[in-house]
Amino acid sequence: MSTKTRTPVMAIRNLVVDYVTQEGPLRVVDGVSLDVHAGELLGLAGESGSGKSTLALAAMRALGAPGVIRGGEVLLSGDNGVEDLLRMSPARLQEVRWSDVAMVVQSAMGALNPVLKVRDQIIDALVAHGVPKARHAPRVAELMQSVSLPPETADAYPHQLSGGMRQRVVIAMAIALRPRLLWMDEPTTALDVIVEREILELVAELSRKEGFGVVLITHDLPRMLEVCDTVAIMYGGRLAELATVDVIHRGGARHPYTSGLMAAFPSLHGDESALQAIPGDAVSLRQPPTGCRFHPRCARAQASSGCMDRTPPWRQTNRLGVACHRADEPE
Ligand code: SF4
């Protein structure tokens, strides 16, 4: 899929997030900039602790203590033009959540009210955003159909549904107000692989049909590469690479960490015997390495290129980019 050049639905600019700890602040997200466009599925990948989930929560302004947003912008494009979500009044934030930007989290059960029927939970969201009563029943019916659930599911309680059905309900609630952007943080972790595949394919289909952008965080890299258009790779709180899935499938990753991640996961239909783990441990944010944070684990690290003492700058071309001193050198 070609990269898009029109105004993004969300533009994250130089976002910086710390966790305040007794030993001092830990910089968990360090100057990340990222665009998401209408109808685009962007995968956000990286090892545990790379900052993906913190980035998502900060960009939703839903980050709790000990997280503190130190700087940056989260620019939302909507009917009111471009607004910085980080500087909105609480009332305005309440308005844009769910109607402009929504989030699906890992635990469907945690996201649903166990004592309310599905229908009533969806209607609560519609009422909170001023949708007229006459639209409630038709919208609930449309949503059940959109997420391929039988209409009678609307009259069930969450505990009467399977895990996969509950996650479809959560997705229906998230898109009930037709947001422009949907964050999905490990939305299928608790589900078996078949249901996981069905749910992610459903989200991809809805995104393309209804035109909302999606940021998908999942530990399942092969599945991410199957459904997404673009992949952003994070390492140690920073963006390492932004590449199209087509480029990655063709072996065109430019950052050694991206290539390492690809080699560490089995392809969806491939041979697991050829897997290669990335050597070394994930970066310590308490004492990050100087220069490129990946250098202690990187087979291409080279002192004369500055890998050990200079932070690689982010270099971007046509929306795609990489932060590696040696990205333009042949391997
Ligand atoms: Fe490896 Fe150097 Fe590139 Fe970092 S900057 S990924 S150490 S080659």
Side-chain angles (χ1 to χ4, degrees):
M1 178 169 183
S2 66
T3 54
K4 302 172 174 72
T5 52
R6 59 186 181 277
T7 307
V9 289
M10 175 178 272
I12 298 173
R13 291 288 172 265
N14 205 20
L15 189 63
V16 177
V17 181
D18 284 350
Y19 281 166
V20 178
T21 71
Q22 287 188 332
E23 293 77 37
L26 274 187
R27 185 129 302 176
V28 186
V29 175
D30 191 6
V32 171
S33 297
L34 207 53
D35 291 353
V36 193
H37 291 78
E40 176 184 29
L41 274 93
L42 173 79
L44 195 51
E47 289 162 306
S48 184
S50 61
K52 313 178 298 281
S53 294
T54 302
L55 176 74
L57 289 170
M60 282 290 288
R61 222 171 112 188
L63 185 69
V68 179
I69 298 172
R70 296 291 190 201
E73 298 174 313
V74 176
L75 304 173
L76 272 187
S77 291
D79 296 338
N80 289 6
V82 178
E83 297 174 274
D84 185 355
L85 188 141
L86 299 185
R87 287 163 184 84
M88 282 175 185
S89 67
R92 180 67 185 137
L93 186 62
Q94 198 75 18
E95 280 172 15
V96 302
R97 274 199 191 139
W98 301 109
S99 61
D100 287 72
V101 53
M103 191 168 202
V104 172
V105 293
Q106 193 178 108
S107 162
M109 210 50 195
L112 295 170
N113 185 333
V115 298
L116 279 185
K117 289 180 178 175
V118 167
R119 175 186 306 284
D120 296 329
Q121 305 199 40
I122 296 175
I123 289 175
D124 275 355
L126 299 177
V127 169
H129 286 82
V131 176
K133 192 172 179 190
R135 283 290 303 143
H136 294 177
R139 185 64 183 138
V140 170
E142 281 166 14
L143 287 165
M144 292 301 101
Q145 192 176 21
S146 293
V147 297
S148 303
L149 285 172
E152 58 272 22
T153 311
D155 293 307
Y157 290 95
H159 72 269
Q160 295 174 308
L161 305 174
S162 68
M165 291 173 90
R166 284 198 290 266
Q167 198 56 296
R168 283 172 192 262
V169 168
V170 171
I171 292 165
M173 288 175 63
I175 64 170
L177 292 147
R178 298 192 167 86
R180 292 178 168 82
L181 180 69
L182 191 59
W183 284 91
M184 305 192 79
D185 189 0
E186 301 279 7
T188 54
T189 297
L191 306 175
D192 69 51
V193 289
I194 294 171
V195 179
E196 175 196 22
R197 180 181 192 152
E198 287 171 1
I199 297 268
L200 293 182
E201 284 175 353
L202 169 73
V203 170
E205 188 189 315
L206 286 170
S207 158
R208 287 173 186 133
K209 195 162 87 186
E210 304 209 2
F212 57 82
V214 177
V215 183
L216 172 67
I217 299 171
T218 171
H219 65 283
D220 189 341
L221 196 61
R223 195 69 69 202
M224 178 183 283
L225 292 176
E226 198 180 53
V227 297
C228 289
D229 305 308
T230 319
V231 178
I233 308 288
M234 287 186 70
Y235 187 78
R238 295 177 178 160
L239 204 55
E241 181 160 14
L242 180 63
T244 63
V245 166
D246 287 350
V247 164
I248 287 181
H249 276 313
R250 290 200 305 269
R254 299 176 69 207
H255 197 289
Y257 180 57
T258 311
S259 308
L261 275 183
M262 298 307 142
F265 283 86
S267 74
L268 283 173
H269 317 289
D271 167 18
E272 297 200 11
S273 63
L275 299 186
Q276 288 181 320
I278 301 174
D281 297 324
V283 62
S284 159
L285 295 177
R286 180 72 59 201
Q287 288 183 308
T290 55
C292 171
R293 289 186 169 178
F294 188 56
H295 87 249
R297 306 173 72 187
C298 181
R300 300 199 75 209
Q302 184 171 273
S304 59
S305 299
C307 295
M308 284 71 169
D309 51 27
R310 285 191 292 117
T311 300
W314 179 250
R315 286 183 288 154
Q316 184 147 340
T317 320
N318 296 331
R319 276 205 63 223
L320 305 182
V322 65
C324 170
H325 292 303
R326 305 193 65 197
D328 293 332
E329 297 174 24
E331 294 212 16

